[in-house]
Amino acid sequence: MKKYLLLFFLLFTFLTPLWGQQTVRALFLGNSYTNFNTLPAIVASLANANGDTLIHDWNVPGGYTLEGHSTNGTSLGKIAQGSWDFLVMQEQSQRPSFPPLQVQQDVYPFAEVLVDSFRSANSCAQPVFFMTWGRKNGDQQNCQFYPPLCTYEGMQGRLRSSYMEMADLNDGWVAPVGSAWWRSRILDPNLDLYTGDGSHPSYPGSYLAACVFYATLFQKSPEGLPFYGNLDSTTATYFQAIAATVVFDSLSQWDYTLAPAANFTWQSLADTVFFTNASGNYTSAQWDFGDGSPVSTDPNPVHVYQASGTYPVTLIVDDGCQADTLMDTVEVVLLSREWRQFPPPQFFPQPALGGTLFLTVENLQGNDLELELVDTEGRSVWEKKWEGNAPETKVFMDCRDLPSGLYIARLQMGDRRFTRKIVLW
């Protein structure tokens, strides 16, 4: 599967105020773990507190499994609507913690069925696997059959492994709620995330889960959001910080992919501008150079402008599902317009096969001719000077030692200057 290991994503994520408002549509399929305290509604309230919107629906019958959802008419009908950005899938609380072979047989095939149905309805939609939490004192019901389940830590470890593998097999994301619970239990064991049965979430547990989901679905930190539910501000902000740390400190683990982000740099040499595409997470690009010329789909184009000026350059990048646009201005200053009074210098053949070509200059008028070749990095790679002694001069250029590629030729004839684009092949 594609994995984008985003080393600097943390900085990107915490620029939250610059992103503007977002609307996310999510379908939740699960059971009582999702239903308790109306988890999606808490996520929606956190989103609203930051000016965002979560449009959601759910089907969460008690004790339900992914196997049950894979044939459930209500679940499949909601999937078929095709209007969702995310499908959140939560398996029955014990099943993913069972021995690996049993999980491969009883869980993974049905996750695949749901994901396939989801992507058939919307190829750009993203599946998200809801990593649940281990029971407070482990799964004593099944401890005798599988020792890792005898403790909270052992059960949580198995849940984490299974949800991570499910995401990997289905090119999905992980909402690491279980990992956030684990961190909270280590840092402050006095904050009880469970109801009396040691399995279902208390309101604090659901609030922590909601903070993880806000960070996952909106790719924004929940820290500082002024929605606390029925918690005091100190406890709520503590959970917000835990969710942010777990999600954004381990991005490569959760298989998150970012939307395309347009960015470019440019360098000009007289009338010629070299563009470098510095965008992230894109598959195709379109350039509008702001001078009425045709749109270019070259990832790193070189464009020649016909006049000095300030041009609005627009880059649009997309990944087949989402797009991002960046506009910047490019300053173009032609070295001289005096060449318009004279026949321009000519290089031939173009492209120059074997690195040898000729330069023809008319009306040299006794001036010396200076020629310099510059590569696309702006480095001088070849230069020569000739004395001007004829009205028309043809000079031979031996560039066989230069690599094939695009170059800019800079010519100086007296007080006249020229730039030309040439190709050595």
Side-chain angles (χ1 to χ4, degrees):
M1 64 176 285
K2 289 184 178 179
K3 289 187 177 180
Y4 300 85
L5 304 182
L6 304 169
L7 183 60
F8 298 107
F9 184 87
L10 184 60
L11 294 176
F12 179 70
T13 301
F14 284 101
L15 295 178
T16 301
L18 303 180
W19 284 37
Q21 297 177 345
Q22 291 178 253
T23 297
V24 165
R25 300 178 60 88
L27 173 63
F28 291 78
L29 300 182
N31 49 57
S32 57
Y33 273 27
T34 301
N35 185 32
F36 257 55
N37 304 304
T38 321
L39 173 61
I42 302 176
V43 181
S45 295
L46 287 166
N48 292 339
N50 202 36
D52 299 315
T53 302
L54 175 68
I55 299 173
H56 65 277
D57 198 357
W58 64 355
N59 189 31
V60 289
Y64 231 58
T65 64
L66 295 185
E67 180 178 3
H69 282 295
S70 71
T71 57
N72 181 278
T74 300
S75 297
L76 296 177
K78 292 178 184 296
I79 288 175
Q81 294 176 15
S83 58
W84 308 109
D85 302 310
F86 297 99
L87 172 65
V88 178
M89 289 169 286
Q90 179 241 315
E91 177 59 283
Q92 189 271 345
S93 61
Q94 295 160 294
R95 276 196 170 195
S97 67
F98 291 161
L101 183 59
Q102 185 176 349
V103 175
Q104 291 171 15
Q105 296 173 343
D106 297 344
V107 176
Y108 293 172
F110 307 107
E112 183 178 357
V113 168
L114 290 168
V115 171
D116 287 347
S117 298
F118 188 50
R119 287 192 167 129
S120 294
N122 181 358
S123 62
C124 290
Q126 181 66 52
V128 177
F129 291 90
F130 178 173
M131 181 202 295
T132 54
W133 47 86
R135 295 190 173 182
K136 189 172 184 178
N137 299 304
D139 183 0
Q140 300 306 312
Q141 177 183 351
N142 293 291
C143 169
Q144 59 183 319
F145 307 113
Y146 188 48
L149 301 182
C150 294
T151 64
Y152 162 76
E153 290 80 8
M155 185 178 184
Q156 184 59 56
R158 282 294 303 131
L159 289 169
R160 183 185 188 282
S161 295
S162 294
Y163 276 106
M164 297 292 286
E165 189 168 8
M166 267 192 284
D168 191 64
L169 291 172
N170 293 280
D171 198 15
W173 292 5
V174 175
V177 175
S179 293
W181 275 45
W182 194 341
R183 184 176 180 85
S184 179
R185 286 185 53 151
I186 292 173
L187 295 179
D188 191 346
N190 295 320
L191 287 174
D192 198 350
L193 305 175
Y194 300 87
T195 58
D197 64 3
S199 174
H200 288 87
S202 63
Y203 187 86
S206 292
Y207 184 89
L208 175 56
C211 289
V212 171
F213 270 108
Y214 177 76
T216 299
L217 300 182
F218 288 87
Q219 294 290 281
K220 297 180 180 180
S221 171
E223 291 186 284
L225 296 184
F227 172 75
Y228 309 138
N230 62 19
L231 302 178
D232 60 83
S233 61
T234 300
T235 303
T237 55
Y238 167 78
F239 285 140
Q240 291 174 3
I242 284 186
T245 298
V246 169
V247 172
F248 297 126
D249 277 5
S250 304
L251 289 164
S252 62
Q253 296 185 52
W254 318 132
D255 293 333
Y256 295 156
T257 57
L258 278 181
N263 191 23
F264 67 87
T265 60
W266 58 275
Q267 181 179 16
S268 65
L269 292 172
D271 59 349
T272 304
V273 180
F274 301 87
F275 293 95
T276 300
N277 194 335
S279 304
N281 314 308
Y282 74 99
T283 56
S284 63
Q286 295 186 39
W287 297 84
D288 183 333
F289 300 112
D291 61 351
S293 60
V295 170
S296 171
T297 57
D298 188 332
N300 298 284
V302 178
H303 188 66
V304 178
Y305 288 89
Q306 300 303 310
S308 298
T310 301
Y311 296 90
V313 175
T314 303
L315 170 62
I316 302 175
V317 295
D318 72 83
D319 63 359
C321 292
Q322 302 179 76
D324 190 38
T325 301
L326 175 66
M327 179 181 288
D328 197 2
T329 55
V330 171
E331 300 286 343
V332 177
V333 179
L334 301 185
L335 295 178
S336 174
R337 292 195 178 96
E338 294 184 17
W339 64 270
R340 298 180 187 277
Q341 303 173 17
F342 303 92
Q346 299 293 328
F347 292 91
F348 65 93
Q350 276 295 284
L353 300 177
T356 59
L357 69 161
F358 292 90
L359 166 65
T360 300
V361 182
E362 297 185 20
N363 299 322
L364 196 55
Q365 298 176 336
N367 292 308
D368 293 340
L369 174 65
E370 297 181 28
L371 174 62
E372 179 185 29
L373 296 188
V374 179
D375 65 13
T376 56
E377 300 295 327
R379 296 171 299 200
S380 177
V381 296
W382 192 94
E383 58 184 336
K384 192 170 182 179
K385 181 176 181 179
W386 296 269
E387 293 185 357
N389 52 15
E392 179 175 340
T393 298
K394 177 187 288 187
V395 296
F396 172 70
M397 298 174 59
D398 184 355
C399 301
R400 287 175 290 182
D401 291 336
L402 296 180
S404 299
L406 176 68
Y407 295 87
I408 298 298
R410 293 172 170 173
L411 296 96
Q412 176 83 40
M413 287 182 2
D415 61 353
R416 286 177 287 158
R417 296 179 180 179
F418 308 85
T419 58
R420 288 292 180 272
K421 196 167 54 170
I422 64 172
V423 177
L424 303 181
W425 199 258

